Amino acid sequence: MARIELTVDGAQVSDDVEPRMLLVQYLREKLGKTGTVIGCDTSNCGACTVHLDGRSVKSCNVLAVQANGHEVTTIEGLAEPGSLHAMQEAFHECHALQCGFCTPGMIMQSVDLLNDNPNPSEDEIRNGLEGNLCRCTGYHNIVRAVQAAAAAGATTAQPAAEKVEA
Amino acid sequence: MTATQDAPASVTEIGRDRRRKEDQRLITGRTRWTDNIQLPGMLHMAMVRSPFAHAKITAIDTSAAKAATNVVAVYTGKDLDESAGVLINAWAITTDQVAPDHPPIPADRVSFAGEIVAVVVARTPAEARDAAELVDVDYEELPAALDLKEAAEDKVLAHPDLGTNKSALWVFDSGEAGTGGNVEDAISKARTDGILIEREYRQQRLIPAFMEPRSVVVDPTGEQLTMWSATQIPHILRFALAATTGVPESKIRVIAPDVGGGFGGKLQVTPEEWTAWWVARQVHKPVKYTETRSESLMAAHHGRDQWQKLTLAAEKDGSVTGLKVELLADLGSHVAIVGGGVPVLGAFMFNSIYKFPAYHFACQTVLTNKTWTDAYRGAGRPEATYAIERLMDELAVELGVDPLEVREKNWIKHEEFPFTTVAGLEYDSGNYEEATAKAKANFGYDELRAEQKRRRDENDPVQLGIGVSTFTEMCGLAPSRVLGQLNYGAGGWEHASVRMLPTGTVEVVTGASAHGQGHETAFSQIVADRLGVRFEDVEILHGDTQVSHKGLDTYGSRSLVVGGEALVKAADKVIEKAKPIAAHMLEANVDDIEFKEGRLGVRGTDQGVALAEVAMAAFAAHDLPDGVEPTLDSDATYDPVNFNFPHGTHLCAVEVDTETGQVKMRKYTCVDDIGNVINPLIVAGQVHGGLMQGIAQALFEEAVHDESGTLVSASFVDYLVPTAADTISFDVDHNTTPSLTNTLGTKGVGEAGTIASTPAVVNAVVDAVRAFGVSDIQMPCTPERVWRAIHAGDAGGADPTTGGAAPHFDESTGHEGQTDRTDGAGQ
Ligand code: FES
Ligand code: FES
């Protein structure tokens, strides 16, 4: 067991974890952050995407211990409770989700994409989302949503103010 | 008394592009996936699975696993008793269908690689998985029936006890059925004095690959045993548990919470569910099982997998005179819940939109030692549409005419509806001419044909191909009577309840069970219009048998056309119940009460009351007319008399690099006729996603097994679900002829895109390289296959795919190469 301390969605948390525990397992099983989901076992689907110090990572590809001392933002902390991040808004407006299983990861990756490139072309959006699979939407409306969010000037993740008792 | 409330705005909800009600929880991560559920004392299961396609289990040593930390129990097939039940097939397509028994865990023999041989129960998922590694199984490998054609010849038996791999032969003949002529006559005439097209096409094996892995939780501690499952079919699941495990149906509650996609892949009763059900009753504690992606790809049912032998007979002028279809369909190791019924659903669709005078269909279903197969988006109809739309292109080539011209020559003209087809179905409405004209205009058909000619003339290394697919499908599974004639084990009705709450909001219960389709939004729109209440005031409840006690769930594009109609009927009953109470309140004659836009008024006056007021009056029940029940709540169960038949014209342009075999989508245009549209936004989404899955079959996906029967494509590294970078945006439009088989005039849309797009894409690829002497390329049309076809001048894709079905031919990865999509994934 190893002791880790980190910030998740604005809240300080600390736990003893097995060294092999994945960040996504830590988020789901220890913190109850079930908004972040697991879609594969080969780091191909992107369903588990979160931000680590503001950059997107696949949380199934990071050990919980590697997040020690860092700051993690999940879909649950992307906006303050009761409000939506511009990217969440855009996904809703553009009908960029159906079953919604890929959606948390897709939104987190899209935010990262615009942070890197506030004015992406359709090709740049498609390439930037290549690591995130969606089986429902055919990506058509996801591309629209990212374009809409870009037009609305959504570039940075709003720091989460949520206070969580871990 | 007069109305005190404002009448609701008279904007109609039907047809509005309402944003979805279900989005809020999904975009913020407040979701209820089955795997999110945690219950006090919950235990976790991990499966031990067979690495062999066919083997005897000679011994299983569970002692080390049982001794591992925090392991509670380990069970094998030998431990199961009668209360474990069996997995059922609900559709024996013939009365003499051969089917092996299907216990959740076999005791002595495994029949596909991935079958469960033991289950470990532990306090954490990690401990269960670790202990599963400690289970020691001795196998004696048996020869496996893997190749479909060889299996059909009984060379190796998938289940030696059965004595054959042949499960059922299902035949339809228009001569015998009296719906048309004799196909053999048409063929012999065409052989001497007409055109005969004979082809064999392969429908490769696909994997539904819903994004949420299957998960099941069973809680045996309550008065009712509760199962949460990532399923499309909570009601059918409950029925099957009761029917096979000895637990009374009234003691079973099944909940399908948020379900992350299905596409037919979660239309199943599974060994994993049955195992969890049994284990929970042994350990008397809640248990959970969530599969890994590789388990999902290996053990959740697959789709398609057919060989299609096709003979099309035509006059010299291109008028088709007959079609003969002989199918071999791979069932895999067991006959799944719909199983052999999937190709039979295609039996009525090979004749598609055309007026063929003679038709013969025969399908032999075959058992093999591969993963079982069942419904995957379209279920039988994509296979049929692919076959006929590929053949119509071949006929056009034979005639030297445009592929749309030969289709028009044979299709049903709009003034000929209703039209009874050679397969015996009555098509109610459609307009193929209009949809096609619109699609051609949107696509820029003539311009693209001109560009194609230019590139051909210039010997451009990048050739342009244009593919056509004019599809139709039957959807809305239902008509119970028809399903009965087909020997299907259940009906096809759907149920709805409308509850008028005293404070003016409306609770609607549906037996349909959504998993991404947006029922909560579209159904709210229907009820809001029908009852004249606000969209926001309607709450749609579904997916829990304790709330929605009656239903037949969601598949076969049935939710709107069957479930939506049940809603309409229930809502109409509410209004009828409200009328005598309103008449009493208004001191009027009940015959003078009319309902309009949420108000019950006295005809010819401005006297009236809002429906909500009547609901309140019924709730208080202080002053109701004699003999009137104090409720407006109403139920309806709707069973349609016919299917409905969406159709459309799909046009696809691809660029094929003849030097690398690379296929690039250039443009995709479709004009679908799905009748009246409730929510255009949701419809467009269904079309986009459907198109992508059909395109994926054409270009990317294939479940590949090695020669020992191991699934090679058992991860997303090798099973190539397309990414955003693999495709383009679509040009989606509609042409509307309302369905005449339901009052809303709607037709199904969930499967249309998938059914139509596969042949459009393959026709385009073949069209691009036809000048090289190519007349077919086996799916998926990988760069390797396309390149080989060009260079061999034949149907280059005849070899089975080796390694992964690589979508991107890249010299650096070679012919066996696969795209590793972890690159650029934000790591
Ligand atoms: S779960 Fe992390 S990439 Fe699939
Ligand atoms: S919305 Fe279902 S997988 Fe993307």
Side-chain angles (χ1 to χ4, degrees):
Chain A
M1 288 285 180
R3 187 84 188 159
I4 56 169
E5 276 179 42
L6 62 158
T7 307
V8 178
D9 294 338
Q12 296 285 338
V13 294
S14 179
D15 276 288
D16 289 323
V17 298
E18 274 195 64
R20 66 171 175 170
M21 182 176 246
L22 302 173
L23 178 58
V24 68
Q25 290 169 329
Y26 176 69
L27 292 172
R28 289 179 57 80
E29 293 170 21
K30 291 266 186 191
L31 300 184
K33 293 274 176 190
T34 49
T36 302
V37 294
I38 303 172
C40 75
D41 40 20
T42 49
S43 301
N44 282 94
C45 77
C48 62
T49 305
V50 299
H51 291 177
L52 185 63
D53 296 334
R55 291 306 316 264
S56 76
V57 293
K58 290 179 173 179
S59 62
C60 72
N61 214 11
V62 176
L63 294 168
V65 291
Q66 289 176 293
N68 187 26
H70 294 274
E71 189 174 332
V72 175
T73 307
T74 78
I75 188 73
E76 295 171 56
L78 186 60
E80 296 196 26
S83 72
L84 292 177
H85 185 275
M87 191 62 75
Q88 290 168 315
E89 193 71 63
F91 268 61
H92 174 59
E93 263 314 297
C94 300
H95 185 36
L97 62 148
Q98 290 178 31
C99 81
F101 196 78
C102 72
T103 308
M106 204 58 96
I107 289 176
M108 297 310 282
Q109 180 61 20
S110 300
V111 169
D112 189 61
L113 192 152
L114 289 196
N115 282 344
D116 267 358
N117 181 356
N119 272 309
S121 67
E122 173 163 349
D123 269 359
E124 285 169 337
I125 293 171
R126 287 181 173 277
N127 287 320
L129 297 178
E130 201 187 18
N132 290 64
L133 296 177
C134 174
R135 192 56 156 170
C136 295
T137 63
Y139 305 104
H140 183 109
N141 284 344
I142 293 178
V143 173
R144 295 293 162 282
V146 178
Q147 287 170 331
T155 51
T156 44
Q158 300 149 0
E162 197 183 354
K163 290 280 175 282
V164 176
E165 246 74 80
Chain B
M1 186 197 271
T2 52
T4 50
Q5 273 179 256
D6 290 341
S10 60
V11 183
T12 59
E13 283 291 339
I14 290 181
R16 257 183 99 172
D17 59 352
R18 276 286 189 186
R19 302 304 186 264
R20 296 198 323 167
K21 287 186 167 181
E22 33 287 83
D23 286 358
Q24 198 65 26
R25 66 177 187 274
L26 298 170
I27 55 179
T28 53
R30 289 186 291 106
T31 36
R32 292 277 181 277
W33 312 110
T34 302
D35 188 49
N36 293 359
I37 293 166
Q38 292 293 351
L39 299 171
M42 177 185 262
L43 300 171
H44 298 266
M45 306 192 336
M47 305 299 183
V48 180
R49 294 178 182 272
S50 166
F52 299 111
H54 196 192
K56 254 194 208 136
I57 303 167
T58 51
I60 304 184
D61 181 356
T62 59
S63 53
K66 278 181 176 151
T69 314
N70 285 329
V71 168
V72 173
V74 181
Y75 300 105
T76 71
K78 283 209 174 15
D79 298 317
L80 300 189
D81 55 23
E82 267 200 355
S83 70
V86 291
L87 286 323
I88 55 164
N89 164 243
W91 190 356
I93 54 170
T94 61
T95 47
D96 59 354
Q97 172 177 281
V98 173
D101 293 340
H102 197 180
I105 306 179
D108 47 16
R109 189 175 56 87
V110 291
S111 54
F112 76 96
E115 188 158 20
I116 302 169
V117 294
V119 52
V120 176
V121 190
R123 286 181 52 205
T124 68
E127 285 161 338
R129 277 194 301 270
D130 286 350
E133 300 283 322
L134 302 175
V135 175
D136 191 11
V137 189
D138 286 338
Y139 298 95
E140 180 185 317
E141 233 189 308
L142 298 169
L146 296 171
D147 180 79
L148 174 55
K149 285 184 178 174
E150 287 180 15
E153 293 167 16
D154 284 339
K155 284 192 176 157
V156 173
L157 294 181
H159 298 274
D161 292 355
L162 297 178
T164 180
N165 295 326
K166 296 204 225 14
S167 177
L169 176 67
W170 195 93
V171 179
F172 175 87
D173 186 276
S174 65
E176 282 166 22
T179 55
N182 180 311
V183 86
E184 295 302 336
D185 294 348
I187 291 172
S188 46
K189 184 154 178 291
R191 204 178 290 283
T192 54
D193 189 25
I195 300 171
L196 203 60
I197 312 267
E198 293 176 284
R199 293 286 187 275
E200 188 175 38
Y201 294 135
R202 174 83 175 126
Q203 288 288 327
Q204 81 270 34
R205 187 176 264 257
L206 300 178
I207 306 181
F210 34 77
M211 288 312 298
E212 180 209 15
R214 295 173 307 161
S215 180
V216 56
V217 170
V218 178
D219 182 359
T221 63
E223 201 44 51
Q224 279 188 314
L225 274 73
T226 303
M227 175 183 280
W228 287 261
S229 183
T231 183
Q232 293 175 229
I233 53 165
H235 297 93
I236 295 172
L237 180 51
R238 180 194 196 205
F239 171 87
L241 285 171
T244 71
T245 69
V247 181
E249 194 171 349
S250 55
K251 289 286 181 195
I252 304 176
R253 176 184 186 186
V254 176
I255 303 171
D258 282 331
V259 175
F263 317 111
K266 288 175 181 165
L267 194 193
Q268 196 56 268
V269 292
T270 70
E272 291 81 2
E273 287 164 338
W274 260 238
T275 301
W277 186 247
W278 185 80
V279 167
R281 286 151 68 217
Q282 307 307 305
V283 299
H284 306 291
K285 285 281 176 198
V287 299
K288 173 153 76 177
Y289 168 73
T290 300
E291 67 186 358
T292 64
R293 176 56 60 183
S294 38
E295 285 180 294
S296 187
L297 293 170
M298 219 169 12
H301 73 246
H302 294 176
R304 316 281 192 262
D305 205 344
Q306 297 179 357
W307 278 106
Q308 309 177 308
K309 228 175 118 183
L310 307 157
T311 313
L312 185 81
E315 308 266 10
K316 282 200 174 114
D317 71 348
S319 310
V320 175
T321 54
L323 174 65
K324 184 177 173 184
V325 176
E326 295 160 281
L327 298 187
L328 280 184
D330 192 338
L331 294 167
S333 63
H334 294 92
V335 190
I337 191 160
V338 182
V342 169
V344 172
L345 287 174
F348 305 95
M349 285 289 117
F350 278 85
N351 52 296
S352 189
I353 62 171
Y354 307 113
K355 297 180 282 186
F356 294 167
Y359 175 52
H360 178 90
F361 172 95
C363 174
Q364 176 69 59
T365 57
V366 181
L367 291 156
T368 63
N369 294 118
K370 289 183 178 169
T371 305
W372 56 350
T373 64
D374 205 321
Y376 171 49
R377 206 169 191 171
R381 291 153 290 164
E383 297 93 315
T385 304
Y386 180 81
I388 188 60
E389 290 304 292
R390 289 283 298 111
L391 287 177
M392 293 308 274
D393 258 34
E394 296 302 301
L395 179 60
V397 170
E398 205 61 41
L399 293 162
V401 300
D402 185 278
L404 281 168
E405 193 180 319
V406 73
R407 284 170 170 80
E408 177 149 25
K409 189 172 189 67
N410 286 285
W411 74 40
I412 302 157
K413 307 278 180 291
H414 70 272
E415 65 273 11
E416 291 172 318
F417 289 95
F419 185 89
T420 302
T421 73
V422 74
L425 294 179
E426 189 187 283
Y427 292 1
D428 58 336
S429 68
N431 191 328
Y432 310 139
E433 297 92 326
E434 258 181 35
T436 301
K438 213 165 168 180
K440 278 177 82 169
N442 292 358
F443 186 65
Y445 189 80
D446 298 332
E447 295 80 350
L448 283 163
R449 281 282 180 216
E451 178 184 335
Q452 176 181 44
K453 182 166 184 311
R454 199 165 62 239
R455 289 192 192 226
R456 272 195 193 149
D457 294 346
E458 289 166 2
N459 264 331
D460 193 324
V462 178
Q463 289 288 315
L464 190 70
I466 295 167
V468 172
S469 167
T470 50
F471 87 106
T472 189
E473 59 148 327
M474 57 194 245
C475 64
L477 283 179
S480 298
R481 213 182 294 167
V482 178
L483 294 176
Q485 283 160 10
L486 291 169
N487 203 32
Y488 182 71
W493 44 262
E494 195 47 85
H495 183 76
S497 305
V498 175
R499 304 174 187 156
M500 300 301 299
L501 304 181
T503 52
T505 55
V506 184
E507 241 174 22
V508 175
V509 180
T510 171
S513 189
H515 38 283
Q517 291 88 347
H519 291 173
E520 292 163 38
T521 305
F523 284 6
S524 293
Q525 290 179 267
I526 295 172
V527 171
D529 264 8
R530 206 69 184 186
L531 295 180
V533 296
R534 293 190 322 146
F535 171 75
E536 294 78 8
D537 288 342
V538 183
E539 194 71 29
I540 307 289
L541 308 174
H542 63 85
D544 177 347
T545 61
Q546 220 176 54
V547 175
S548 161
H549 69 291
K550 194 176 163 73
L552 283 170
D553 307 321
T554 289
Y555 43 86
S557 306
R558 67 189 302 276
S559 290
L560 175 60
V561 293
V562 189
E565 198 63 19
L567 282 186
V568 168
K569 297 245 178 309
D572 288 353
K573 284 188 190 175
V574 166
I575 295 164
E576 286 314 307
K577 279 190 176 179
K579 280 184 180 169
I581 301 173
H584 186 73
M585 291 164 81
L586 295 161
E587 293 170 355
N589 191 318
V590 70
D591 297 332
D592 292 333
I593 300 293
E594 61 182 2
F595 179 78
K596 228 174 110 198
E597 286 165 13
R599 284 177 62 79
L600 294 116
V602 183
R603 193 169 291 116
T605 73
D606 58 2
Q607 296 276 296
V609 284
L611 182 60
E613 288 176 275
V614 181
M616 186 47 134
F619 172 74
H622 294 162
D623 181 20
L624 297 180
D626 291 342
V628 167
E629 242 188 313
T631 181
L632 301 184
D633 298 356
S634 300
D635 283 12
T637 305
Y638 172 69
D639 197 351
V641 292
N642 195 357
F643 298 99
N644 60 88
F645 304 95
H647 72 84
T649 297
H650 288 229
L651 299 170
C652 172
V654 298
E655 288 175 4
V656 176
D657 185 331
T658 58
E659 287 166 359
T660 63
Q662 177 77 51
V663 175
K664 205 172 131 213
M665 300 274 298
R666 162 86 173 267
K667 183 151 199 190
Y668 197 103
T669 294
C670 61
V671 175
D672 290 324
D673 182 342
I674 52 159
N676 292 333
V677 170
I678 306 297
N679 183 322
L681 202 66
I682 290 179
V683 158
Q686 286 288 322
V687 173
H688 298 150
L691 290 176
M692 182 63 109
Q693 287 182 13
I695 292 166
Q697 174 171 18
L699 297 179
F700 305 114
E701 294 178 16
E702 180 170 24
V704 182
H705 293 79
D706 68 13
E707 53 300 339
S708 61
T710 305
L711 182 69
V712 177
S713 42
S715 78
F716 279 153
V717 179
D718 300 298
Y719 191 80
L720 297 169
V721 171
T723 71
D726 289 325
T727 186
I728 56 170
S729 294
F730 307 115
D731 167 24
V732 173
D733 200 353
H734 297 281
N735 192 56
T736 302
T737 62
S739 168
L740 306 174
T741 64
N742 61 64
T743 59
L744 293 168
T746 58
K747 307 178 187 180
V749 69
E751 297 163 292
T754 307
I755 292 169
S757 61
T758 310
V761 176
V762 176
N763 279 339
V765 175
V766 172
D767 184 54
V769 296
R770 216 180 260 283
F772 296 87
V774 178
S775 63
D776 188 29
I777 297 172
Q778 195 174 301
M779 295 186 288
C781 298
T782 60
E784 178 189 349
R785 283 184 175 161
V786 174
W787 187 89
R788 280 177 195 258
I790 294 167
H791 292 267
D794 65 19
D799 329 322
T801 316
T802 48
H808 301 295
F809 178 74
D810 179 339
E811 256 134 17
S812 66
T813 57
H815 286 188
E816 305 275 320
Q818 294 134 10
T819 317
D820 181 352
R821 289 189 306 239
T822 48
D823 283 352
Q827 287 296 316

